[in-house]
């Protein structure tokens, strides 16, 4: 995440590219600059996440493809950084294969409310209580 932050700040994506897996390195530094252009335009600063512990919404798991997959967010206000990452094993190391980041509002929102039930009509008879048998021992057959 910090390599992405530094790449966004400098416009130089070569280190991010070089840290990735061979499949990630298919992207040129120029292509990565295009992919993350909106981060640069918004002048996002991810440095604050250094002091935050990520909250994982998808615990790290190895997918059938052999890739390590995880997702989560860094809790902050008024916006939080959401992420999803895929890591590929390369020479006994996990190397970045894919990354997705976005900012979302983290301000509390009121839950949706349902309308209260309508009051009973005074002209309607009350509902009948259910009936049933209660046994203290098994009935003889």
């Amino acid at each position: 995440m910090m390599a992405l932050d530094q790449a966004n700040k400098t416009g130089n994506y070569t280190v991010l590219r070089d840290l990735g897996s061979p499949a990630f390195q298919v992207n040129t530094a120029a292509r990565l600059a295009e992919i993350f252009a909106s981060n640069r335009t918004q002048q996002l600063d991810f440095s604050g996440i250094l002091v935050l512990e990520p909250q994982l919404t998808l615990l790290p798991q190895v997918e059938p493809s052999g890739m390590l997959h995880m997702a989560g967010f860094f809790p902050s206000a008024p916006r939080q950084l959401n992420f999803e990452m895929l890591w590929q094993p390369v020479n006994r190391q996990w190397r970045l294969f894919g990354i997705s980041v976005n900012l979302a509002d983290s301000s509390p929102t009121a839950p949706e409310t349902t309308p209260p039930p309508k009051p009973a009509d005074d002209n309607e008879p009350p509902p009948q209580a259910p009936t049933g048998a209660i046994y203290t021992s098994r009935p003889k057959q």
Side-chain angles (χ1 to χ4, degrees), residues 122-141:
D122 289 338
N123 296 332
E124 286 185 31
Q128 291 188 351
T131 59
I134 299 174
Y135 297 101
T136 57
S137 64
R138 294 184 98 176
K140 294 181 182 177
Q141 295 182 0

Side-chain angles (χ1 to χ4, degrees), residues 56-74:
L56 297 178
T57 56
L58 175 64
L59 294 176
Q61 63 187 33
V62 177
E63 299 292 348
S65 65
M67 297 209 193
L68 180 65
H69 187 197
M70 69 177 70
F73 63 93
F74 290 92

Side-chain angles (χ1 to χ4, degrees), residues 78-98:
R79 299 187 308 175
Q80 68 186 23
L81 178 65
N82 299 314
F83 66 89
E84 185 169 2
M85 303 171 94
L86 277 172
W87 301 87
Q88 184 176 33
V90 177
N91 297 327
R92 300 177 50 127
Q93 293 181 346
W94 290 112
R95 308 259 316 253
L96 185 64
F97 175 82

Side-chain angles (χ1 to χ4, degrees), residues 3-70:
L4 176 59
D5 183 56
Q6 292 169 350
N8 286 337
K9 287 177 179 170
T10 64
N12 183 344
Y13 290 84
T14 55
V15 172
L16 176 64
R17 179 187 173 279
D18 292 348
L19 290 173
S21 69
F24 185 80
Q25 291 175 4
V26 170
N27 295 295
T28 64
R31 176 68 182 127
L32 291 172
E34 290 174 17
I35 292 169
F36 295 105
S38 66
N39 291 166
R40 281 193 323 282
T41 302
Q42 295 175 54
Q43 297 181 343
L44 301 180
D45 183 0
F46 300 160
S47 62
I49 66 171
L50 285 173
V51 297
L52 298 174
E53 187 161 337
Q55 304 298 304
L56 297 178
T57 56
L58 175 64
L59 294 176
Q61 63 187 33
V62 177
E63 299 292 348
S65 65
M67 297 209 193
L68 180 65
H69 187 197
M70 69 177 70

